[in-house]
């Protein structure tokens, strides 16, 4: 159903051919795209551009069968390189700063992403202005999401899906056949 809907948008000229992230982002910023599916990382640039936007969380979308979309949800983490000559300093930084109030609030200020610390969230809530709206709306989407698997096999998922969408959008295959073939490619790749 999603594939048919996306194809209809291309067929009706609602989405230009050859879409990619930069084109999508530019069209939205220039007022030439009615909506965009993106993440919280993009909202500071939209705000800076002066766009009066609203966020519709996936949690507020209901399909005809009563289900709700379940987006992949990712988290950011920090790793220490085992070959680093500064492992002790890196460990000190990660353990004693990244998880601290100052570290978490600093990351919020830098990228306007959510935080796992309740005290940082409360501080943001008291004084964040429009940034809090973004965090709350994206948190609602994350609440119905599925944790994105952190495995190399996910590359096969993205590749097969991109190939299937390309075939459908360019009229080289049916939605059903392209997506079924994508599933088989993914299963084969992961099975190997």
């Amino acid at each position: 159903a999603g594939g048919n809907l996306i194809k209809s948008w291309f067929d009706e000229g609602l989405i230009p051919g050859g879409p990619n992230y930069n084109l999508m982002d530019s069209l939205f910023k220039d007022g030439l795209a009615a909506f965009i599916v993106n993440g919280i990382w993009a909202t500071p640039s939209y705000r800076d551009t002066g766009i009066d936007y609203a966020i519709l969380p996936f949690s507020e979308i209901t399909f005809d069968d009563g289900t709700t979309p379940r987006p992949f949800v990712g988290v950011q983490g920090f790793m220490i390189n085992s070959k680093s000559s500064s492992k002790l300093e890196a460990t000190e930084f990660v353990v004693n700063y990244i998880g601290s109030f100052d570290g978490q609030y600093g990351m919020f200020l830098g990228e306007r992403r959510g935080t796992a610390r309740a005290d940082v969230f409360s501080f943001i809530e008291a004084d964040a202005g429009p940034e809090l709206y973004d965090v709350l709306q994206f948190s609602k989407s994350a609440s119905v999401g599925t944790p994105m698997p952190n495995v190399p096999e996910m590359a096969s998922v993205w590749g097969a899906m991109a190939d299937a969408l390309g075939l459908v959008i360019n009229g080289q295959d049916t939605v059903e056949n392209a997506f079924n073939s994508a599933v088989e490619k993914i299963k084969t790749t992961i099975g190997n």
Side-chain angles (χ1 to χ4, degrees):
N4 284 317
L5 181 61
I6 291 169
K7 179 165 178 24
S8 74
W9 293 337
F10 280 92
D11 292 347
E12 295 170 26
L14 298 174
I15 299 177
N20 60 56
Y21 185 89
N22 290 331
L23 175 61
M24 169 187 78
D25 196 56
S26 294
L27 289 172
F28 188 71
K29 286 178 180 174
D30 292 341
L32 300 173
F35 72 94
I36 190 170
V37 178
N38 213 337
I40 194 169
W41 55 84
T43 58
S45 68
Y46 299 154
R47 200 174 315 103
D48 292 346
T49 304
I51 298 171
D52 181 18
Y53 63 88
I55 299 168
L56 176 63
F58 284 108
S59 59
E60 295 178 14
I61 299 170
T62 305
F63 295 129
D64 291 341
D65 66 0
T67 61
T68 298
R70 298 183 64 196
F72 277 133
V73 177
V75 297
Q76 292 180 318
F78 290 82
M79 297 174 276
I80 299 169
N81 189 325
S82 64
K83 297 180 182 180
S84 172
S85 61
S86 304
K87 283 189 265 192
L88 186 60
E89 293 85 354
T91 302
E92 168 73 20
F93 176 73
V94 170
V95 171
N96 294 319
Y97 178 72
I98 293 300
S100 72
F101 180 94
D102 290 338
Q104 290 289 298
Y105 186 61
M107 285 190 287
F108 169 77
L109 291 176
E111 295 227 348
R112 299 303 195 243
R113 296 190 187 208
T115 180
R117 286 189 61 118
D119 57 346
V120 174
F121 185 83
S122 295
F123 187 77
I124 293 166
E125 189 174 28
D127 193 37
E131 293 91 349
L132 179 64
Y133 167 78
D134 296 345
V135 170
L136 290 175
Q137 296 302 88
F138 278 98
S139 293
K140 289 177 186 175
S141 278
S143 73
V144 297
T146 300
M148 187 169 357
N150 186 18
V151 293
E153 290 84 1
M154 282 304 293
S156 66
V157 174
W158 304 128
M161 185 62 180
D163 291 346
L165 281 172
L167 291 170
V168 167
I169 290 164
N170 295 315
Q172 296 171 307
D173 204 347
T174 66
V175 171
E176 185 173 339
N177 189 55
F179 281 41
N180 285 336
S181 295
V183 169
E184 290 308 312
K185 283 182 192 175
I186 293 165
K187 286 180 179 178
T188 299
T189 304
I190 291 175
N192 293 334

